[in-house]
Amino acid sequence: MSDKTEVKDIDRSLHDEKNEEKHRYKAQKGLTPEVIREISREKDEPEWMLEFRLKALKIYQKKEVPTWGADISDLDMDNIITYVRPDADLQSDWDQVPEEIKNTFDALGIPEAEKESLAGVGAQYDSEVVYHNLKEELVEQGVIYMDMENAVKKHEDLVREHFMKLITPNDHKFSALHGAVWSGGSFVYVPAGVDVDIPLQSYFRQNAPGSGQFEHTLIILEEGANAHFIEGCSAPKYSVNNLHAGAVELFVNKGAKLRYSTIENWSRNMYNLNTKRALVEEDGVIEWVSGSFGSKVSMLYPMSILKGARARAEFTGVTFAAEGQYLDTGAQVIHAAPNTTSTVNSRSIAKDGGHAYYRGLLKATDNAHGAKASVSCESLMLDNESKSDTLPIMKLQTDDIDIGHEAKVGRISEEAIFYLMSRGISEEEAKAMIVRGFVEPIASELPLEYAVELNNLINLELEGTIG
Amino acid sequence: MYNKKLVDNLTTGQSKLLSSRRRESYDLYENLTKSDFKRIKLFDYQFPEYSPYNKEYLKEKKWQQELLIKKMTDNLNNEEEIINYLEQFKDKKVEKGNQGLDPKYLAMAEAFYNTGLFIKAPRNVELKVPVEIFYELDQENPVLIDNNLIVAEENSKLTIVIDYRMQDQNLKAFHNGLTRVIVKENAVLNIVKVQRFNDQSDNFDSNISLVSNQGELNWIPIELGAKNSVTNNENTLMDDGSRASISSVYFADGERKMDLGFKMNHQGRHSSSEIESKGVLKDRAQKIFRGDLYFQKGAGQSKGSEREEVLLLDKTVDSDSIPALFSEEDNVEGEHAVSAGQIDEQRLFYLMSRGMTKAEAKQLMVEASFNPIFDKIPLNDLKGSVINDVKTRIRS
C-alpha cells in the first residue's frame, strides 16, 4: 500500500487581512426600488441606466434561485448589503490614496506590479475604483481604460450600445441581480489596429462584512486590436456569507485578439456566482486563462460565442478545491459559424474533502460546418475524502465537424513516482514534481506577476507539506 | 386504462406474493409524475391502451432442463425465491439509484407487465448455447410490457439473446420493459438485446443489474428502431473484482429520437467497467448519449472507461453527448473519451478511388465501425439480419 499525500492548508493571513470599516454611505439591507434609486442617484447616472436597473430588479424578483449545481441555500439575499462605498474619492496620484487602503494594496503587491510592467491599475476597493492610472502612450493611441461609473457618463453611447447585451438580466437570477445593483468594474476600449502590448490589470477585493460585489467589466476590441486583461480577486474572511455576482462582457471584433486572465482567490466564505461571456467575430480570438482557488462555492462557466467565421476560442483553467470548498467551474463554447475552432484544457485538484466539479458545454449549431473542437479535462485527487466530478455536455447540430473529448480522473501514478525515485529523487519531491507538472500548462500561460501568485499558492499547498 | 381494475385483472390467477408486488407498484405508479425526457421533448406523453400479449416468446430448446425458466405472469410455486432476489434491488446504495429510465415507467412496468421471464442458471451450470427470447409485436399484440429477472448463480455461465422486433411497418406499437439481473460470485452472464421496432412505435426499456464478487456481466444493446426510444442501463459493481461492460451500437435515421443512458456504479474494490458506444446518425435523427461512471467511496483501485464514437452523416442530425465522471475515491482510474464527426474524407476518397460509389464506401466504413460489436451476437441468423438492416438503411 502506498502512503497518502498529506497536503495542509496554506497560511492565509496575508490575503485575509482586513481593515477597519469606514464608509460614507451604506445602502439599506434588502433590495427595493428605493435602494436602486439611491444607488443610481449616488452615482449620478444617466436616466436610462436607472431604468435599466429597475427593470433588472423586476426580473430578479421573479426569477428562481437555480437548483442545480451548488447548494446556495445558505445565502440570505435579504441580508446582503449590495452597495458599499469606500471612504476615498477617485485618485490619480498614489500619494493621495488613504494610508489604510494603501496598506491592504501594498500587502497585495499592487504598486510594485504597476512599477514593473503594468499599463494601468484599476483596483476596486469594495465597490468602487479608488486608484486608476494608464500610461500616456495608450491614451494617445485612443485606448480607454477607466472605471465603469465614469465610462457610463463619459462614453455613454459606447457603453449603452454594449452594456448587458451579451449577458442580459433575463439569463438567470444572478445576472438580473447584477443588472440591478452593479457597481464598479472596468471599461476597456481598444481602437482598430491598436496593439496594447502590456497587460491591463485590475485587482480588486471585497472588504465590508456582508457586502456583495457586483462589478461590471466591459471590454471592446475593435477590428484587429490586441489586448490582454488581467483580473485578480482576493478578499478577507468574515463570518457573514459573501456574494460575488460580477459580470464580464467581452466584444472581440473582426481579427481582434483578447486574452482574459483571472486568478480567483476569494476567501473561503464567498459565494462566487460570476458570469463571463465573450462574443467573437470573424477571425477573432478569445483566450481565457482561469485559476479558481478560493471561495466557499463557485459557479463559473465562461462562455465563448464564436459568431464569425474562423473565430477561435481557447480556455485553459485550473481549479483547486480544498476543505469546505465546492468549486463548480467549466468552459462553454458555442460554435455558431463555419470553420470556428476551440480548445478547452481544464485541470482540477481536490484535497481535504474539497469538491471539484467540471461542468462544460460544447455546442455546434447547424451552420458551424468545418468546426473543430477539443476538450480535455483531467482531475487529480489527493485523498479519498475529496470528490471530483466531470460533466462535459456536447450538443452537435451539424455533420461536418470534428469534435474530440477526453477526461480522466485518478491519483498520482505510482509508476511515475517509482520511476522518479529510481532516479534518486525522494518520494515527497517526486509527488510535488508531478503535481506541479500537472498544473504547468496553466501556470505557463500566466504573466509573471500572476504566475508568481499561482506558484506561491501551489507550492505552499504542496511542497511545504508533503513529507 | 392503467388503473386499479386492471391490476385486479392481472393479479387474477397469479401467485400471491407477485400479485401483492404488482399492487405495491401500482400505488407507487399512482403517486408519481412522468418524466418529460425534455431533451427529446416527450411532453404530455400518453401510454397507449393496455392490451395483453398472447404470443409465445421463448424458443423451446433442450437447455430448459439445465436452467430454471418461468413466466412471471403464471401462478408460480417458486415465487418466494423470486421475491428474495427482487428484494436485493431495494437496498439502494446509490442515491437515486435503480430507478430505471424513470421511476414512473419502472413502476408502470412492475404493476402492469403482460410478459416476462424468470431465468436462473443454477450453481456451476455452464450453457454453451444461448437462450433465445423473441418479443415480436403485431396487430393482435401491439403492447409489450415485459418484466424479466435473470439470475446467474455462482460459477454459472450463460448467454441470453432478447430480440425486440416487428414486421408490420404501419403498426403503432408500444414497449415498456424492465430487466433486472443478478450476477453472483464468479458467474459470467452475457445479454444481447436487439431493438428493431418500426418508426411509428415507442420503446422504453430499463435494465438494472447487481454484480457480486468476481462476477462478470456483459451487455450488448443494439438499438436500431422505434420513433422514440428511451433506454437505461444501470449496473452496480457491488464487491471485489466485480466486472461489467456495455458494448452498444445505435443507428438512428429518419425522424427517430433516441435517449440512451448507461451507468456504472463502482462500489467494490478492484471493480472494473467499460462502456463502449458506436453510433451513426442520419437524416433528421436525434440522439442523446448519457454515460455515467460513478466511483463510490470504498471502490479503491477500480477502473472504469467510457468511449463514444458517433458518425454524423447529415447536416440535419442532432447529437448530444453527456458523459459524466463522478469520483469519491482517489485511488481509481476513470476516463472517458468522445469523438464525433463525419466520415473521414481521405478514407472515403481512397475507397472511391478503388471504384466504390460514395454510398458503398460510407456503408463499408459504418460496417467497419459496427462489426466488432455485431460479432458479439452469438446467433448467425440474427447477426445477418441486423447487418442487412443497417446496410439497407445507410443506402436509402
Side-chain angles (χ1 to χ4, degrees):
Chain A
M1 282 286 84
S2 59
D3 291 326
K4 294 274 160 69
T5 309
E6 271 300 323
V7 182
K8 285 182 220 131
D9 262 330
I10 58 159
D11 174 14
R12 294 187 55 88
S13 60
L14 177 74
H15 293 306
D16 283 359
E17 191 177 300
K18 77 173 195 184
N19 292 322
E20 197 192 323
E21 259 189 275
K22 241 164 114 190
H23 302 289
R24 279 188 294 174
Y25 169 82
K26 234 180 185 184
Q28 295 282 309
K29 287 191 174 188
L31 267 189
T32 58
E34 286 65 49
V35 174
I36 304 296
R37 281 204 178 86
E38 260 175 59
I39 290 173
S40 189
R41 197 179 313 129
E42 275 280 313
K43 288 180 186 295
D44 193 20
E45 284 174 349
E47 187 63 22
W48 65 267
M49 185 54 89
L50 172 64
E51 275 165 26
F52 184 90
R53 287 178 186 274
L54 291 170
K55 224 187 265 170
L57 177 69
K58 269 194 190 144
I59 298 168
Y60 168 75
Q61 282 158 342
K62 271 186 234 150
K63 289 251 180 207
E64 298 289 318
V65 174
T67 51
W68 54 275
D71 175 15
I72 46 174
S73 52
D74 269 3
L75 207 53
D76 183 359
M77 298 300 297
D78 295 333
N79 272 327
I80 286 168
I81 308 169
T82 55
Y83 177 74
V84 184
R85 206 171 173 185
D87 198 6
D89 281 317
L90 273 177
Q91 305 289 329
S92 60
D93 184 357
W94 181 253
D95 292 336
Q96 288 167 23
V97 174
E99 207 55 34
E100 173 188 279
I101 292 176
K102 246 177 169 175
N103 289 343
T104 314
F105 285 163
D106 278 345
L108 293 170
I110 287 208
E112 282 82 353
E114 194 212 3
K115 273 172 218 156
E116 280 160 22
S117 78
L118 291 167
V121 174
Q124 184 168 8
Y125 191 85
D126 280 359
S127 298
E128 267 180 46
V129 176
V130 294
Y131 183 76
H132 227 138
N133 202 353
L134 185 63
K135 282 198 173 164
E136 278 174 17
E137 58 207 86
L138 293 178
V139 178
E140 276 164 26
Q141 284 176 304
V143 175
I144 305 167
Y145 180 24
M146 57 169 54
D147 60 286
M148 270 309 288
E149 268 88 1
N150 267 319
V152 169
K153 289 176 238 168
K154 288 187 185 157
H155 302 280
E156 198 176 333
D157 293 345
L158 211 48
V159 171
R160 199 171 177 176
E161 191 189 330
H162 295 90
F163 183 82
M164 291 203 84
K165 290 290 188 304
L166 213 45
I167 299 166
T168 74
N170 276 312
D171 291 1
H172 51 80
K173 187 161 180 95
F174 295 99
S175 70
L177 177 64
H178 178 90
V181 303
W182 77 270
S183 175
S186 305
F187 175 76
V188 179
Y189 175 84
V190 185
V194 173
D195 185 357
V196 183
D197 55 356
I198 22 185
L200 303 166
Q201 168 172 312
S202 133
Y203 208 131
F204 45 84
R205 54 184 301 188
Q206 287 188 292
N207 211 343
S211 77
Q213 183 128 352
F214 306 97
E215 88 290 348
H216 193 94
T217 305
L218 177 59
I219 300 179
I220 304 160
L221 260 60
E222 291 293 4
E223 203 172 324
N226 191 348
H228 182 186
F229 188 85
I230 306 171
E231 166 203 281
C233 314
S234 167
K237 192 169 173 97
Y238 288 110
S239 57
V240 183
N241 286 325
N242 273 1
L243 169 68
H244 175 233
V248 174
E249 296 183 290
L250 311 175
F251 293 85
V252 180
N253 284 306
K254 261 189 184 177
K257 182 178 173 187
L258 174 64
R259 170 175 278 217
Y260 194 93
S261 304
T262 315
I263 289 197
E264 303 215 57
N265 188 23
W266 298 109
S267 68
R268 309 248 165 130
N269 66 336
M270 176 68 76
Y271 286 84
N272 181 30
L273 311 170
N274 217 352
T275 312
K276 298 182 176 181
R277 241 163 248 180
L279 184 71
V280 189
E281 302 286 351
E282 251 176 72
D283 297 303
V285 179
I286 176 77
E287 293 175 354
W288 302 92
V289 178
S290 177
S292 297
F293 293 88
S295 85
K296 177 180 182 184
V297 165
S298 271
M299 287 171 82
L300 175 64
Y301 322 99
M303 180 189 275
S304 314
I305 303 164
L306 304 177
K307 189 187 163 208
R310 296 173 303 280
R312 183 159 65 88
E314 254 178 54
F315 176 90
T316 313
V318 61
T319 300
F320 201 127
E323 194 179 353
Q325 290 184 284
Y326 174 86
L327 305 185
D328 198 322
T329 58
Q332 304 182 77
V333 183
I334 316 281
H335 289 262
N339 302 313
T340 45
T341 53
S342 69
T343 310
V344 173
N345 189 358
S346 153
R347 306 277 161 117
S348 66
I349 302 169
K351 70 164 185 98
D352 292 344
H355 190 172
Y357 203 128
Y358 177 85
R359 196 189 297 267
L361 173 71
L362 182 70
K363 186 173 172 178
T365 62
D366 53 6
N367 63 338
H369 54 84
K372 282 198 170 73
S374 83
V375 181
S376 157
C377 313
E378 281 187 51
S379 317
L380 193 61
M381 294 180 74
L382 299 183
D383 53 62
N384 67 355
E385 301 304 307
S386 309
K387 278 189 186 181
S388 175
D389 300 330
T390 313
L391 184 71
I393 299 179
M394 266 157 276
K395 284 182 76 68
L396 314 176
Q397 290 166 332
T398 184
D399 62 333
D400 180 14
I401 42 176
D402 185 358
I403 306 285
H405 164 81
E406 278 176 19
K408 267 188 205 147
V409 64
R411 67 164 172 183
I412 299 175
S413 140
E414 277 163 34
E415 285 86 357
I417 290 172
F418 182 79
Y419 173 78
L420 289 169
M421 285 169 73
S422 77
R423 298 280 152 181
I425 293 164
S426 73
E427 187 180 346
E428 292 70 33
E429 178 54 20
K431 283 179 179 167
M433 274 173 81
I434 291 165
V435 176
R436 280 201 300 265
F438 182 75
V439 296
E440 168 62 23
I442 282 84
S444 61
E445 290 296 314
L446 290 166
L448 192 62
E449 314 83 82
Y450 280 76
V452 168
E453 174 160 349
L454 180 100
N455 272 344
N456 278 346
L457 276 162
I458 300 224
N459 286 345
L460 280 167
E461 299 244 15
L462 297 167
E463 203 177 35
T465 51
I466 292 172
Chain B
M1 280 268 269
Y2 295 92
N3 51 24
K4 191 122 187 85
K5 210 174 138 196
L6 181 56
V7 177
D8 289 342
N9 277 339
L10 291 167
T11 47
T12 317
Q14 200 189 17
S15 39
K16 208 177 101 208
L17 296 174
L18 282 169
S19 294
S20 66
R21 250 191 108 91
R22 266 199 204 267
R23 281 187 212 102
E24 283 166 30
S25 302
Y26 172 72
D27 291 340
L28 257 172
Y29 169 81
E30 269 278 284
N31 293 314
L32 289 164
T33 327
K34 257 192 233 119
S35 163
D36 285 337
F37 304 110
K38 63 174 190 213
R39 281 182 188 265
I40 61 166
K41 302 189 179 70
L42 280 188
F43 303 121
D44 301 316
Y45 182 77
Q46 297 296 321
F47 293 135
E49 203 172 326
Y50 177 83
S51 130
Y53 185 92
N54 294 319
K55 280 167 75 169
E56 185 47 58
Y57 45 91
L58 183 66
K59 253 201 180 164
E60 295 291 332
K61 284 226 174 119
K62 61 172 192 271
W63 35 254
Q64 277 198 303
Q65 286 145 26
E66 290 167 76
L67 303 175
L68 182 66
I69 301 190
K70 301 278 176 194
K71 287 199 170 140
M72 296 282 269
T73 45
D74 285 351
N75 190 356
L76 302 175
N77 51 16
N78 70 327
E79 61 166 356
E80 259 173 61
E81 183 185 14
I82 295 177
I83 294 292
N84 283 340
Y85 282 127
L86 291 181
E87 284 298 304
Q88 297 181 25
F89 290 89
K90 279 209 170 149
D91 178 20
K92 291 176 192 163
K93 288 179 193 146
V94 182
E95 199 193 335
K96 289 189 177 172
N98 300 355
Q99 291 189 338
L101 55 94
D102 172 63
K104 179 123 183 168
Y105 282 74
L106 192 86
M108 190 270 201
E110 248 203 308
F112 301 105
Y113 58 91
N114 57 13
T115 51
L117 291 169
F118 168 60
I119 302 176
K120 180 175 115 172
R123 284 176 73 160
N124 302 325
V125 168
E126 258 188 57
L127 217 70
K128 296 271 187 308
V129 280
V131 175
E132 297 172 48
I133 302 161
F134 292 89
Y135 289 112
E136 181 158 8
L137 298 178
D138 57 26
Q139 214 69 49
E140 279 75 47
N141 303 283
V143 170
L144 174 69
I145 307 169
D146 57 331
N147 176 15
N148 307 298
L149 172 64
I150 302 169
V151 181
E153 277 292 349
E154 276 173 62
N155 288 316
S156 63
K157 261 191 189 163
L158 181 65
T159 297
I160 294 177
V161 179
I162 310 179
D163 189 10
Y164 296 93
R165 65 186 187 195
M166 63 201 304
Q167 304 293 336
D168 193 337
Q169 289 310 307
N170 299 311
L171 175 68
K172 197 170 158 34
F174 170 83
H175 170 226
N176 180 24
L178 167 60
T179 300
R180 276 173 290 201
V181 176
I182 294 175
V183 179
K184 292 288 189 188
E185 285 83 351
N186 288 313
V188 179
L189 176 61
N190 305 311
I191 301 176
V192 180
K193 277 198 166 193
V194 180
Q195 185 269 107
R196 287 180 291 171
F197 294 141
N198 68 18
D199 53 16
Q200 315 273 317
S201 304
D202 294 326
N203 178 54
F204 302 90
D205 197 26
S206 302
N207 300 278
I208 304 170
S209 85
L210 305 174
V211 184
S212 304
N213 218 332
Q214 305 294 334
E216 179 181 332
L217 173 60
N218 304 304
W219 291 99
I220 296 112
I222 296 173
E223 283 283 322
L224 303 175
K227 177 178 163 211
N228 297 299
S229 182
V230 185
T231 65
N232 189 277
N233 185 316
E234 178 176 353
N235 304 283
T236 303
L237 307 169
M238 299 194 299
D239 303 311
D240 273 24
S242 304
R243 293 193 295 277
S245 78
I246 298 169
S247 310
S248 122
V249 161
Y250 59 86
F251 182 94
D253 54 2
E255 311 281 337
R256 284 179 216 278
K257 291 176 179 179
M258 285 186 178
D259 190 328
L260 313 167
F262 302 110
K263 189 167 188 175
M264 297 288 186
N265 302 320
H266 287 262
Q267 292 179 338
R269 293 172 63 82
H270 293 282
S271 54
S272 66
S273 74
E274 201 179 326
I275 300 171
E276 184 190 22
S277 177
K278 292 188 171 180
V280 172
L281 298 182
K282 193 173 172 285
D283 309 324
R284 281 159 308 283
Q286 188 197 353
K287 83 100 210 322
I288 292 103
F289 167 90
R290 304 165 196 270
D292 291 5
L293 290 179
Y294 180 19
F295 296 99
Q296 283 177 267
K297 216 171 169 69
Q301 297 177 44
S302 292
K303 276 186 192 178
S305 75
E306 186 182 328
R307 202 166 304 279
E308 194 209 358
E309 276 173 42
V310 54
L311 270 178
L312 310 171
L313 296 185
D314 287 295
K315 263 192 183 340
T316 41
V317 299
D318 200 331
S319 169
D320 290 11
S321 301
I322 313 175
L325 199 54
F326 304 112
S327 181
E328 297 168 355
E329 262 291 335
D330 63 329
N331 194 5
V332 296
E333 283 174 44
E335 56 176 35
H336 58 70
V338 175
S339 74
Q342 272 183 318
I343 285 183
D344 184 39
E345 288 287 337
Q346 287 183 8
R347 286 161 74 186
L348 204 62
F349 181 78
Y350 173 78
L351 291 172
M352 286 165 74
S353 76
R354 299 277 148 179
M356 282 188 181
T357 65
K358 196 169 183 177
E360 283 168 339
K362 270 190 183 179
Q363 177 199 318
L364 190 74
M365 288 176 67
V366 171
E367 274 177 45
S369 159
F370 282 0
N371 278 356
I373 293 177
F374 286 159
D375 281 342
K376 295 183 182 184
I377 302 176
L379 305 169
N380 283 333
D381 288 357
L382 181 62
K383 185 170 134 186
S385 92
V386 164
I387 290 176
N388 250 334
D389 266 19
V390 171
K391 255 188 198 166
T392 41
R393 277 163 59 187
I394 291 174
R395 283 189 183 169
S396 68

